[in-house]
Amino acid sequence: MSSPVKRRPTGRHHGDLRNALLRAALELVAERGPHGFTLAEASRRAGVSVAAPYKHFADRETLLAELATTGYREQRNRFAVAVGSSEDPAEQLASFASAYVRFAAEEPALFDITFHAGLDKSRFAELASAGDEVAGLLLPVARRLASDADDAFDLLLRIAGAAHGLAVFLRQGLFGVGSEALADTEERAARTARAITRQHDA
């Protein structure tokens, strides 16, 4: 991922305070989870005063919401590539499931913030919009296999839910570790998506 939040600070003085704080928060989430740090700790990690965050973020949730927005946009970019790999909607959804697992493995902190921070999307319009963009990409694919909009949503939800569970299992080490375990889990997610689609069509 090429987002500026992935680059580490180069010193204690930051010309870009916002990104310095986002980087620090992302590191802390990777170490402790989305609920395991305070704005004061992010400030110390970034090498700035504890008052500095309030120039950009009203509170910790506001900072996390910006990172979650980044997470959704990264997912949309990855999923767009995945669904663009085939013209067959069943295979597009299988590729989506595989990409979902890879996102969770390669961007664990963003994954945790996006799905486990418990953010109120009604409070953060940009976050809600980013989430809607992901759904807007995937629902038309599911709609090609479904009888109506509700049916399409249910199909997509079942596939996403299965991929999410497999991603969590992978991160917990249930399928082993390393690149081989990731590749095997990606393929398992794709197979599961295909099976769900076949059951839906039956």
Side-chain angles (χ1 to χ4, degrees), residues 21 24-25 28 32 35-47 50:
L21 290 165
L28 287 165
R32 307 179 190 176
H35 302 289
F37 76 98
T38 65
L39 272 182
E41 288 175 306
S43 301
R44 288 192 288 272
R45 177 68 63 95
V50 295

Side-chain angles (χ1 to χ4, degrees), residues 154-174:
D154 181 65
L155 173 61
L156 180 59
L157 193 63
R158 290 170 62 198
I159 291 172
H164 185 90
L166 290 169
V168 171
F169 288 158
L170 174 65
R171 291 195 45 206
Q172 292 174 338
L174 270 64

